[in-house]
Amino acid sequence: MSQANNMTQPVKSVSKEKQKKNAVMIIVETFAVLLCAVFFLVPFYFIIVNSMKTSADAAKLSIAWPTEFRIWDNLVEVIRARDYMVLTAFFNSTVITVVSIILLIIVGSMAAFVLHRRVSKLSRSLSGLFLAGLMIPPAVVPTIWVLEQLNIFKTFTGIILVEVAIQIPFTILLYTGFIAAIPKEIDEAAIIDGCGGGKLFFRIIFPMLKPVHSTVIILNAVTIFNDFVHPLYFFPGSENATVQLTLYNFMSMYNTDWNLLFANVLLITIPPFILFLFFSEKIVSGMAAGAVKG
Amino acid sequence: MKSNKVYSYWLLLPALLIYGLLFLYPTIVSFFFGFTRWTLTDWDWIGLENFRMFFQEPSLMIGFKNTFIFAFLTAGLKVVIGVFLAVILTSKLRTKRFVRSTIFFPVLVSTIAVGITFSVLMHPSEGLINLALDLFGIDGPDWLGNPDLAIYSVALVDVWKGLGIATVILIAGMMSIPRDYYEAIQIDGGNKWDAFRFITLPLSRPAINTVILLALIGGLRTFDLVWTMTGGGPGFSSDLIASIIYKQYQAGFYGLSTAGNVLLFLMVAIVVFPLFKFLNRKEVDL
C-alpha cells in the first residue's frame, strides 16, 4: 500500500518488478471502481436524477441531467397525493417498526437467555423449533385465519405480532451468540447474592447486552420498514397504508409520471441510507455474524 | 440441575406464545387446510384435489420449475461472483471500503424500490441497459416482456440486490484464515492461483455453505421482487410458488393457496435440510 505512494516520486531502489506490480494494482483499482460505479451507482444516480425532472423529461427514462429542477415540487406532490397517503404510510410504518422492535428486544433476549443457559432436552428442542423459523416460509392463509379468530386481522396489533413472530428466530440467534460469551460465573455470583431468575436477567444480563441490542434494533428496523409481503397479507385496507404498500400502489397510479414515482422511491430510500451512513460497520458485521452462526 | 430453576421458562413464555400462535400453529394447520375447500369460516375435505390441481394445471405447474430455476440460479451466481469479489476485497485494494459499501448498500434498499427501478432500466427500447448494450452493437432483448426470459431477468436483479450480503459473509470467512497458511504456500513455491485453490477456497467452505443455504432459502420463497417487476407475467411465465400462493389467495381459493404453502414447505424441506446435512458433513472432512 505504501509502495504505491512511492510511485509519484521515482526512487531508484524500487525495483522494476515492484513498479510493474504497482501498475497492475492501479489498473485493478481503477477497473474495480469503474465496474462498481457502472453496476451499483448508476441505478441510484438514475433514481435521483429522475426524481428531480419534470414529467415530460422523466418520460424519456434517461440519465441525462435535468433541464429543469423540480425535486421540491415533485416531493410535495407525492406527499399530497391521495390525501397525504405517504405521511400516513410513514406514520404507520414507523409505529409498526418501533413497537415490533421493542417487543423483539425484550421477548427475544429473555428467550435467548433461557434457551442458552438451560441445559435440558426440552430447551434444546425448543431452540431447534425457533431455528426452524429461519427456513420455513410462513403459512399465509392460516395466519390470516388465526388473526381473524383473535379479532386482530387488519389491526396494528395483528401486523406487529406477526412481524415479531417472523423476526424472533433471527433475533434469538443474534442474542444467543452474545449471551454465550457472558461467563456463567456472573450468574452464579448473582444467585449467591440472592437474585432470582427475573432479577438476574433484567438487572445484570440485559444491560450487558447493549452491543447486541443496537444490532438487533438496526437490522430489524431495516427488515420491518422494508417489509412488503407481510403488510400486504396481514395489514390490508386503504387506511392501513405502509410505505412499501404505498410505493407499490403508486406504481400503477404514476405509470406515466416517472418523476413522481422516483421521488417516492427516493423518499423511501432515505431512512435506510441514513442508517447505513452511521451504522454501516454494525450492519455489516451483524448480518455476517448472524448468518454464519445460523 | 438446580441452577436450571433460575433460568425459568417464564422468561421464554412470551416469545414462545407469539411464535407458537402466529407462526408454528398456522404452519401446522396448513397441513390440514391444504386438503380442503376453505372459506375461512367453513371447510370441505377434498383430499388431494388441491395438490392434483397444482400438478395438472400448467399455470400452477410452472411455479415449481421457476422457483427451482430462480433459487438455484441466484444461489449459484451469488456464490461465484461473491467469491470473486471477496478475493479482490480482501487484497490490498485501497478503495476496498468504498467498493464494499457500494456493493452492500442495495441490501438495505426496499425490494419494491429496486424492482421499480430495474423495470424501468430494463425497458426494451428506452431502458438504460439496452441503450448501453447498443453502444457495443448488441441488440438487447425484451428483458421482462419475453416469457422465456422474464424469470432470468428478475433473477439477475435479485443477484444485484443480494450480492452484498453474500460478499460480506465470504469476506468474513476469508479474513479468518490464518496468514501463516499463505506464507507457507509461498515458501513452498506456490503462486497466487495455488493459494486460492488450496487455501482460500477450501478454508472458506463454511462461509460458502452459509451463502448457498441463505440464498436458496431466500430464493425459494421470493415473492416481492417478481411481483413488482412482472406480476408473474407475461402470462404465467415468471410465476413462482410464492406468487401463486398470493394469486390464489386473492382469488379466494384459500384451500388451494394453503396447499401451495404446504408444497413450498416441502420444497424447502427437501432441498434445504438434506443440503444442510450434506454441507456440514463435508466441513468435518476438512
Side-chain angles (χ1 to χ4, degrees):
Chain A
M1 284 169 288
S2 57
Q3 303 154 8
N5 295 332
N6 293 340
M7 281 282 292
T8 47
Q9 30 182 293
V11 183
K12 273 193 180 163
S13 63
V14 177
S15 67
K16 264 192 178 168
E17 188 142 326
K18 264 191 182 165
Q19 271 188 359
K20 213 170 140 192
K21 238 183 174 176
N22 280 333
V24 169
M25 209 57 197
I26 286 174
I27 293 169
V28 171
E29 295 252 353
T30 326
F31 202 63
V33 173
L34 267 178
L35 267 184
C36 199
V38 168
F39 280 104
F40 288 91
L41 290 182
V42 169
F44 290 108
Y45 174 78
F46 181 82
I47 294 171
I48 296 168
V49 165
N50 278 291
S51 70
M52 300 194 292
K53 291 179 179 173
T54 61
S55 179
D57 236 0
K60 291 175 193 148
L61 308 178
S62 80
I63 49 166
W65 197 245
T67 50
E68 202 182 325
F69 282 89
R70 293 282 297 274
I71 176 82
W72 190 245
D73 303 285
N74 288 345
L75 285 177
V76 169
E77 196 170 340
V78 165
I79 289 169
R80 281 211 183 126
R82 289 204 186 163
D83 201 15
Y84 296 93
M85 170 105 94
V86 170
L87 292 187
T88 315
F90 262 91
F91 175 77
N92 289 351
S93 283
T94 310
V95 170
I96 293 169
T97 309
V98 170
V99 180
S100 303
I101 289 175
I102 294 173
L103 282 174
L104 277 166
I105 289 178
I106 300 170
V107 166
S109 61
M110 291 195 305
F113 179 61
V114 175
L115 287 175
H116 177 262
R117 287 296 208 253
R118 209 171 163 115
V119 194
S120 73
K121 261 192 181 160
L122 179 62
S123 81
R124 231 173 301 139
S125 27
L126 285 173
S127 294
L129 217 51
F130 277 110
L131 280 183
L134 292 171
M135 302 183 203
I136 301 171
V140 178
V141 187
T143 309
I144 292 174
W145 177 70
V146 172
L147 289 172
E148 274 201 332
Q149 309 260 303
L150 298 170
N151 262 323
I152 50 172
F153 183 45
K154 300 184 188 179
T155 65
F156 274 106
T157 319
I159 182 70
I160 287 168
L161 288 178
V162 169
E163 292 287 2
V164 172
I166 303 283
Q167 292 306 319
I168 220 162
F170 185 66
T171 305
I172 288 182
L173 191 75
L174 285 175
Y175 277 120
T176 315
F178 198 84
I179 289 172
I182 298 177
K184 242 185 157 177
E185 282 76 26
I186 290 181
D187 301 16
E188 279 153 18
I191 294 165
I192 291 167
D193 287 347
C195 269
K199 212 169 164 193
L200 161 68
F201 177 74
F202 285 108
R203 286 278 175 77
I204 297 163
I205 304 293
F206 191 79
M208 289 177 81
L209 297 174
K210 241 185 212 156
V212 216
H213 290 325
S214 53
T215 310
V216 167
I217 292 173
I218 296 165
L219 294 188
N220 280 317
V222 173
T223 315
I224 298 175
F225 188 82
N226 280 344
D227 190 9
F228 168 72
V229 184
H230 302 110
L232 178 73
Y233 278 122
F234 309 123
F235 200 55
S238 53
E239 70 281 16
N240 286 347
T242 69
V243 282
Q244 307 304 331
L245 287 179
T246 313
L247 179 59
Y248 179 78
N249 290 331
F250 278 7
M251 197 168 64
S252 48
M253 190 172 136
Y254 288 148
N255 59 3
T256 50
D257 297 315
W258 293 104
N259 54 335
L260 298 182
L261 191 60
F262 282 111
N264 196 357
V265 168
L266 187 69
L267 209 58
I268 273 174
T269 312
I270 289 171
F273 182 67
I274 292 173
L275 271 184
F276 186 62
L277 274 188
F278 289 104
F279 303 108
S280 69
E281 284 306 313
K282 195 117 211 163
I283 294 172
V284 167
S285 61
M287 280 196 174
V292 171
K293 269 164 208 144
Chain B
M1 270 298 113
K2 203 186 154 203
S3 72
N4 262 353
K5 251 177 111 179
V6 180
Y7 309 119
S8 156
Y9 277 127
W10 287 110
L11 291 172
L12 183 66
L13 195 65
L16 197 60
L17 216 60
I18 298 175
Y19 181 69
L21 202 60
L22 291 171
F23 187 85
L24 290 179
Y25 181 58
T27 303
I28 294 164
V29 296
S30 71
F31 280 85
F32 171 77
F33 286 117
F35 294 92
T36 64
R37 191 174 288 123
W38 190 22
T39 60
L40 286 184
T41 48
D42 206 9
W43 52 267
D44 281 317
W45 181 267
I46 52 169
L48 287 168
E49 194 52 44
N50 289 329
F51 296 94
R52 196 174 304 142
M53 271 280 260
F54 255 98
F55 289 107
Q56 277 172 357
E57 278 286 317
S59 64
L60 301 180
M61 191 63 198
I62 196 168
F64 288 102
K65 198 181 116 206
N66 283 340
T67 304
F68 276 116
I69 292 176
F70 189 89
F72 283 96
L73 185 66
T74 53
L77 285 175
K78 280 175 193 171
V79 168
V80 173
I81 304 174
V83 165
F84 175 73
L85 286 171
V87 168
I88 292 179
L89 292 178
T90 45
S91 72
K92 285 178 180 163
L93 208 66
R94 274 172 306 164
T95 41
K96 63 183 167 195
R97 265 187 67 91
F98 167 79
V99 173
R100 197 192 66 177
S101 301
T102 325
I103 294 173
F104 187 80
F105 183 61
V107 173
L108 304 181
V109 177
S110 99
T111 313
I112 308 302
V114 170
I116 289 176
T117 308
F118 272 90
S119 350
V120 174
L121 294 176
M122 285 179 164
H123 189 281
S125 55
E126 288 161 86
L128 205 56
I129 295 178
N130 279 359
L131 289 183
L133 288 176
D134 259 355
L135 291 181
F136 297 99
I138 302 168
D139 198 12
D142 187 354
W143 297 94
L144 301 169
N146 181 343
D148 296 325
L149 198 64
I151 189 69
Y152 296 97
S153 306
V154 180
L156 286 184
V157 178
D158 184 74
V159 173
W160 181 86
K161 181 168 162 36
L163 194 58
I165 183 77
T167 309
V168 162
I169 294 168
L170 291 165
I171 288 175
M174 288 182 192
M175 297 280 265
S176 66
I177 300 172
R179 293 284 102 190
D180 321 4
Y181 292 180
Y182 290 104
E183 279 160 29
I185 205 163
Q186 233 174 0
I187 292 166
D188 288 347
N191 57 22
K192 287 225 158 127
W193 171 241
D194 292 327
F196 172 74
R197 233 172 4 148
F198 297 120
I199 298 172
T200 312
L201 211 50
L203 287 177
S204 41
R205 220 13 218 280
I208 291 175
N209 292 348
T210 307
V211 170
I212 294 175
L213 283 173
L214 278 182
L216 278 180
I217 293 168
L220 286 172
R221 58 209 266 184
T222 293
F223 166 72
D224 35 11
L225 194 61
V226 171
W227 196 244
T228 334
M229 293 190 71
T230 67
F236 312 104
S237 60
S238 62
D239 258 329
L240 301 173
I241 297 284
S243 64
I244 290 172
I245 291 173
Y246 182 68
K247 280 182 175 173
Q248 300 307 329
Y249 159 69
Q250 267 192 323
F253 298 124
Y254 299 137
L256 192 61
S257 170
T258 307
N261 250 130
V262 170
L263 288 170
L264 190 57
F265 177 98
L266 294 177
M267 277 166 80
V268 172
I270 288 167
V271 173
V272 176
F273 288 127
L275 200 67
F276 185 73
K277 283 242 166 87
F278 174 74
L279 292 176
N280 279 346
R281 194 195 55 204
K282 270 273 171 87
E283 249 167 69
V284 179
D285 289 345
L286 287 172

